[in-house]
Each structure stands twice: as structure tokens, then as C-alpha cells.
Amino acid sequence: QVQLVQSESELKKPGASVKVSCKASGYSFSSYAMNWVRQAPGQGLEWMGRINTNTGNTRYAQGFTGRFVFSLETSVTTAYLQISSLKSEDTAVYYCARDFAMVSDFWGQGTLVTVSS
Amino acid sequence: SYVLTQPPSVSVAPGQTARITCGGKNIGGKSVAWYQQQKPGQAPVLVVYEDSERPSGIPERFSGSNSENTATLIISRVEAGDEADYFCHVWDSNTDGNVFGPGTKVTVL
């Protein structure tokens, strides 16, 4: 069965970096793009962008350029989200989600990133 | 950028029908998906895609429609377990971007 397993919660200080992993199993990893979605505390879902798991091409949504980087390690069927120069407003749950025809059909369990001094 | 609107909340009695709307300019020309999130911080679940299709494992009680400027998620014979936040979603071809609605909290009375 399709599974997306994300890394554990992180507590980081402002200015630090964090790398969230998303390990995929149960399907052909390179056949589906991977979306990343953010949910700030008490807020809705916000699409951050996606990465083509076949070519590595990325598409970042407005507001998620510069400090946010999507990457892959296809040998271990894992996608990554790296956020640099963390700010308190980056505190959120970050989800990876498999892209099926521009719909996120399977989601990871989410990774809480807390940015606090 | 494309904007979706949803009512903040909908209340429904058990056994009744809940209708959750999603407004957008000419949304009838787009493919709408709906996600259920039981609690904030829990992974959303896809319940409807392509306006009215159900993924495997989603009960037939969940259905959808889409026309002109409004898409609707319909939950028939509502159960206590349907209490959750529901988000509509479209892909905006103009910007090649995914757009989520603000979400509707469904309360089962």
C-alpha cells in the first residue's frame, strides 16, 4: 500500500535550517510528483510547491521561493524539504503528498517544525 | 491568483445531509477535489476528486457537484465521525499552482 512516512518533529532556533524527509513506499516513486503543503497553527492548507520525482524539476508557489528547497534521493525513494534562515512564522506542520493529476491523493503524517528562541 | 471561498462552518444533525460549498470564478470549468481533516495536524484525506469521483475506500455518502461558480461537497446520512474540517482544492492552469479553499468546519449536532 502507498505510504509516505515523514521525519519527526523539530525544534529550531531562529536563523537555523531544517530538513524534513518524506520516505515513499508501495508505488513507483518516480512516476508521481511530490507536493509539499504547509499548515500554520490554527490555519488552513497552503500549497508550497512540488517536485517532479522523475526529472527533479521544481515549482515553488509564491511566497516559498528563496529559503525553501525541494530535493530528492531517488535511490531511497525519499523527498526532502529544506528551509533555511528559519523565522518564527515558519512554525507549522509540513506535509508531503503524492501528486496524482494535480491532486494530492496520499499524504504523509506531517512534520511539526517549531521555531523558537 | 485564483481565490476559493468556503463558509467557515456548517452544522448538521446526525442522519441529515451536509452541503459544503466552494466558490470560485467559473469554478465549473475546473476540476475540484475535497479533503477531510479530522483534526488540525492530522493528515488530510482525499474524499472527492474530479468534482464527483470517490477514491477507493471513501463511503458512497460522500459526493460532489460543480457548476458555474460553485462546487459542492455533499455528505449524506451524516455520522459523528464526519465531524472535521473540509477543504476544497483546484489546480489553476494559469499559474500552474494548486489552490486550497480556507476550509469549512463541519459540526455534527
Side-chain angles (χ1 to χ4, degrees), chain A residues 47 59, chain B residues 1-2 91-99:
Chain A
W47 183 70
R59 166 79 173 89
Chain B
S1 62
Y2 195 75
W91 175 62
D92 181 13
S93 59
N94 291 328
T95 60
D96 185 27
N98 288 352
V99 181

Side-chain angles (χ1 to χ4, degrees), chain A residues 15-80:
Chain A
S17 295
V18 68
K19 193 169 186 177
V20 176
S21 66
C22 171
K23 166 74 175 172
S25 62
Y27 71 98
S28 174
F29 181 70
S30 297
S31 296
Y32 299 83
M34 193 71 76
N35 289 312
W36 288 94
V37 176
R38 181 173 79 176
Q39 186 170 37
Q43 302 299 309
L45 304 174
E46 188 174 18
W47 183 70
M48 301 173 66
R50 68 174 173 271
I51 183 165
N52 184 314
T53 53
N54 188 37
T55 64
N57 288 344
T58 54
R59 166 79 173 89
Y60 295 97
Q62 203 169 18
F64 294 100
T65 56
R67 298 189 299 115
F68 301 83
V69 177
F70 307 145
S71 62
L72 302 169
E73 194 170 351
T74 53
S75 61
V76 290
T77 63
T78 299
Y80 299 95

Side-chain angles (χ1 to χ4, degrees), chain A residues 39 50 59 95 102 104 108, chain B residues 35 37 41-42 89 95-96:
Chain A
Q39 186 170 37
R50 68 174 173 271
R59 166 79 173 89
Y95 297 99
M102 301 305 178
S104 294
Chain B
Y35 299 91
Q37 187 179 41
Q42 288 190 356
H89 163 275
T95 60
D96 185 27

Side-chain angles (χ1 to χ4, degrees), chain B residues 3-31:
Chain B
V3 176
L4 296 172
T5 59
Q6 295 182 239
S9 62
V10 167
S11 297
V12 58
Q16 298 304 302
T17 298
R19 291 179 175 82
I20 306 158
T21 58
C22 176
K25 186 175 181 181
N26 300 321
I27 195 173
K30 299 183 182 298
S31 180

